[in-house]
């Protein structure tokens, strides 16, 4: 069987071209179109400061129907005022002229430096050029995936297929994200809730040829995002531009509406989103390893999530993981600062399969052996609170000197 | 006039000795005693995971009277179970035998690695030895100040004097803190509130010869801490051991009870605490500069504090400051993720006295000139929200490769 990719679901074409927005000569403008009106859902950053394309995208996706997305990397079009909004709309207009649809049927995205107006001459030319190179091959999918990257080292791609009745449905996605990563996306705009959003621009675009209605697609995307993209943090800095958008072409004629089919679809969507989210953690700025933090048997899911995030966001924990240092005190103390009920006397902390802390006391363990096992591409931290049924996993990466190098000199 | 120091207020003696707990041969056991029963107040970490000395200290300070404090560095006595509590009490017992008081009149503190039992043989010998070297000189004050340090490079000391009626009162303090710094101390134990505690062990000991009652001293210490120690963050990791304790000997016979005298005392206390807090930021692990973040005209003080903290805790902002990079988009976006109402269209961001963002749009400015001005020991970030009367200042430091070096290899 051929390798599945973003354009495997029937009905989609894409392109990625270099328009001169990024400094390095890599694709920086992407266009993904559906040849019919697709059911669409999207979640966006909850940062109070959100970019122009997020404002425009929120409005355009409301109808539940889109024909495509247009993206640029190298410039976030954030903190750019009214001109920024006009520019985001102009991106849609050009993409719409290619798709032969209304500009409100296009979702725009941007990622890159904040506070600079988009170089519209280059960008307009780039979108037009992308329109001339649209195609359905693996290579087209890869060029689109490459066009959305910024400080990412690798493309991030995932796909799966499954049966709905007797029909085969394909679901695929690409994403980007390396720095300013701590998404907390939601369907609504930035809420007044006390939820602390994290950061990094992460962008994700998903395609499927399932036939599904907008309300169900929204609900399933929101759930999948919470357990995937919203469970990744690199630097706990929720971006102004975070966006995940799914387009369902319906071209497979497989209708997802029964609760059984919805569950199947949800599982596939979550699988793809989790794979993409994991790839973000693995490609975090300066990362040498993924750290997968699971908090189990916490009072409830919210408590588990808060504790896992607190651990994941501690620079002390991240540095210890970088140095293969089984300094578990940092992990337990980080869990204690999540602001949720937590009794260290009851919990058990396991680091790379070795119990290091139990019943409020240190356990004798071979620190050198654990240190050797920490020298791995994936490290697991497991905190069993023995207090309830809440469970959550958060993925992060270690904190290296390379992270500082990348971020101390990004702008100038 | 001679230089004021921790032992300038009448009634106090101190010592610092090397007991072999730290790897490097620097003082690691400190003893500070008052020759009479002092009025005492203390604030402690709000981390749900708190060290044995914090548990014991909370109980001992409740009476509002103490004879002194005993401190060790190199081992935090945290996550050490019942044995840890016994060890903390034993520290008090030995100190009490020197002061000729009850063990409940001594407050114990520890700082260092989490999850290891205290080396009690060495420590007991150290406390006894400290008891033999007690004195009131500048040198004694410095040895005590040195004995509480861990990864700190410099001693942290501050002192002032003021008039209460016709009498002169002296107020002084020392502190430590370099990593695991993000204190959110309070009088009470860890509360169930949603306040997110930060981290790093910070310890502070303050002396005064004023005569003041316990309730007023508690109230003034809490207020001063909130605007000083609790406004510093290095790594947003609230320690298991954070403690700030003040002892008032009353030896000056200057009674602080009128609201005018209380205000004078409060101002002096805040001055000393702010100086100490600033020194913590300046000596943050790997720090090359202090970043002072002021958010003004926010909706209220809580909103201003949340936004200032969100900016201070963004690794992206901290790296940009390290690289002298006027990448202000990271600052505005960090403010937006504090989860409090914030309208970027109304705000004005000033970086080292240069306006870089206003009315939701970038401002033309000379990036090279601002970059040159960022290359300074103190950088000021000023965000005017034009939305209310709330104001807060938070101090942090930049994030350097040296931070990673220090923390990737602390344990092993």
């Amino acid at each position: 069987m051929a390798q599945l990719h973003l354009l495997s679901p029937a009905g989609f074409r894409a392109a990625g071209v270099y328009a001169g927005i990024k400094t390095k000569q890599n694709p920086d403008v992407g266009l993904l179109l559906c040849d019919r009106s697709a059911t669409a859902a999207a979640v966006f950053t909850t940062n109070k400061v959100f970019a122009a394309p997020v404002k425009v995208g929120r409005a355009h996706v409301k109808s539940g129907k889109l024909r495509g997305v247009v993206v640029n990397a190298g410039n976030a079009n954030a903190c750019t005022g009214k001109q920024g909004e006009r520019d985001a709309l102009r991106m849609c207009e050009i993409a719409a002229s290619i798709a032969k649809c209304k500009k409100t049927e296009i979702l725009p995205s941007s990622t890159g430096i904040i506070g600079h107006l988009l170089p519209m001459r280059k960008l307009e030319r780039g979108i037009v050029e992308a329109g001339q190179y649209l195609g359905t091959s693996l290579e087209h999918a890869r060029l689109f995936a490459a066009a959305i990257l910024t400080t990412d080292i690798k493309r991030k791609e995932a796909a799966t297929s499954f049966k709905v009745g007797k029909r085969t449905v394909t679901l695929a996605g690409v994403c980007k994200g390396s720095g300013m990563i701590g998404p907390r996306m939601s369907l609504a705009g930035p809420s007044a809730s006390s939820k602390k959003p994290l950061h990094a621009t992460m962008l994700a675009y998903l395609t499927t040829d399932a036939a599904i209605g907008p309300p169900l697609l929204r609900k399933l995307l929101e759930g999948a995002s919470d357990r995937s993209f919203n469970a990744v943090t690199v630097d706990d800095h929720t971006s102004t531009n975070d966006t995940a958008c799914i387009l369902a072409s319906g071209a497979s004629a497989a209708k997802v509406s029964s609760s059984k089919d919805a569950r199947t679809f949800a599982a596939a969507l979550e699988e793809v989103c989790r794979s993409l989210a994991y790839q973000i953690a693995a490609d975090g700025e300066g990362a040498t390893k993924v750290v997968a933090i699971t908090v189990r048997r916490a009072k409830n899911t919210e408590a588990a999530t808060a504790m896992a995030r607190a651990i994941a966001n501690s620079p002390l924990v991240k540095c210890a993981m970088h140095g293969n240092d089984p300094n578990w005190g940092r992990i337990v103390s980080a869990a204690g600062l999540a602001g949720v009920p937590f009794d260290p006397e009851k919990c058990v902390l396991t680091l790379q399969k070795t119990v290091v802390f139990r019943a409020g006391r240190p356990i004798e363990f071979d620190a050198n052996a654990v240190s050797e096992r920490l020298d791995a591409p994936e490290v697991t931290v497991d905190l069993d609170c023995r207090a309830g049924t809440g469970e959550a996993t958060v993925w992060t990466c270690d904190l290296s000197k390379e992270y500082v190098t990348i971020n101390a000199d990004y702008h100038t």
Side-chain angles (χ1 to χ4, degrees), chain A:
Chain A
M1 199 176 99
Q3 189 187 340
L4 293 178
H5 56 79
L6 183 69
L7 305 171
S8 298
F12 295 96
R13 290 177 301 154
V17 300
Y18 177 63
I21 306 171
K22 285 184 193 167
T23 320
K24 283 193 193 162
Q25 200 166 336
N26 289 323
D28 51 18
V29 172
L31 188 61
L32 169 65
L33 296 182
C34 185
D35 53 24
R36 65 193 79 184
S37 182
T39 303
V43 289
F44 299 96
T45 182
T46 48
N47 196 316
K48 304 284 180 195
V49 182
F50 49 85
V54 168
K55 184 170 181 183
V56 172
R58 276 193 192 119
H60 289 189
V61 80
K62 247 184 199 156
S63 66
K65 291 285 172 182
L66 285 177
R67 282 292 302 281
V69 299
V70 57
V71 197
N72 76 276
N75 183 319
N77 192 13
C79 296
T80 46
K82 291 286 170 215
Q83 186 59 47
E85 285 177 45
R86 282 191 289 271
D87 291 345
L89 278 168
R90 179 72 187 136
M91 288 173 71
C92 296
E93 209 166 65
I94 302 168
S97 74
I98 295 162
K100 298 192 172 51
C101 66
K102 288 183 286 185
K103 68 180 173 197
T104 53
E105 292 176 278
I106 303 291
L107 179 135
S109 292
S110 298
T111 176
I113 184 97
I114 295 173
H116 292 257
L117 290 174
L118 285 172
M120 286 308 291
R121 281 244 306 261
K122 289 178 183 174
L123 182 51
E124 292 188 17
R125 219 181 301 141
I127 300 169
V128 170
E129 193 186 334
Q132 291 158 356
Y133 286 99
L134 288 166
T136 61
S137 73
L138 173 62
E139 190 53 29
H140 286 91
R142 287 189 172 162
L143 282 167
F144 179 84
I148 65 178
L149 306 181
T150 55
T151 52
D152 308 59
I153 292 167
K154 294 178 182 172
R155 287 192 313 270
K156 293 160 189 71
E157 303 157 321
T160 190
S161 67
F162 54 98
K163 292 277 183 188
V164 170
K166 290 190 175 154
R167 298 179 197 274
T168 298
V169 168
T170 308
L171 195 155
V174 299
C175 75
K176 67 90 42 173
S178 185
M180 207 178 261
I181 286 290
R184 282 218 182 189
M185 299 180 289
S186 76
L187 291 167
S191 68
S193 89
S194 66
K195 266 201 187 180
K196 189 191 167 200
L198 313 178
H199 4 171
T201 294
M202 70 138 284
L203 299 176
Y205 304 100
L206 300 143
T207 54
T208 179
D209 46 19
I212 185 170
L216 181 57
L217 190 62
R218 272 186 206 116
K219 187 183 144 201
L220 299 183
L221 177 65
E222 192 179 29
S225 290
D226 278 345
R227 288 182 293 278
S228 57
F229 305 124
N230 290 353
V232 178
T233 171
V234 171
D235 49 21
D236 193 23
H237 191 130
T238 306
S239 168
T240 46
N241 293 56
D242 293 333
T243 301
C245 177
I246 182 165
L247 301 175
S249 70
S252 70
K255 200 162 161 49
V256 177
S257 58
S258 74
S259 55
K260 175 171 167 285
D261 292 342
R263 277 197 302 275
T264 308
F265 185 91
L269 180 59
E270 193 167 322
E271 175 197 334
V272 168
C273 291
R274 284 171 73 100
S275 168
L276 293 172
Y278 191 93
Q279 292 174 58
I280 291 176
D283 196 15
E285 288 175 340
T288 70
K289 64 184 74 171
V290 173
V291 185
I293 297 146
T294 298
V295 174
R296 64 183 80 242
R297 293 204 280 174
K299 198 182 166 200
N300 51 42
T301 308
E302 291 66 37
T305 304
M307 289 161 80
R309 267 183 196 283
I311 296 167
N313 284 324
S314 165
L316 292 171
V317 171
K318 294 161 84 93
C319 284
M321 294 299 103
H322 182 61
N324 303 319
D325 179 359
N327 193 335
W328 56 265
R330 293 179 178 174
I331 299 170
V332 175
S333 61
L337 58 87
V340 296
F342 168 49
D343 182 358
E345 301 282 325
K346 284 168 77 180
C347 80
V348 180
L349 180 67
T350 308
L351 196 54
Q352 283 298 65
K353 318 273 181 213
T354 302
V355 175
V356 292
F357 178 70
R358 190 201 302 268
R361 285 191 304 274
I363 300 277
E364 288 279 333
F365 67 93
D366 182 342
N368 289 330
V370 176
S371 179
E372 272 173 35
R373 283 206 295 284
L374 288 173
D375 190 8
E378 176 175 316
V379 167
T380 58
V381 173
D382 184 296
L383 183 67
D384 182 350
C385 300
R386 301 169 65 205
T389 57
E391 180 168 335
T393 295
V394 167
W395 299 286
T396 187
C397 56
D398 55 338
L399 176 56
S400 69
K401 291 180 197 175
E402 183 61 17
Y403 178 87
V404 178
T405 303
I406 293 166
N407 283 300
D409 207 27
Y410 177 66
H411 184 285
T412 45

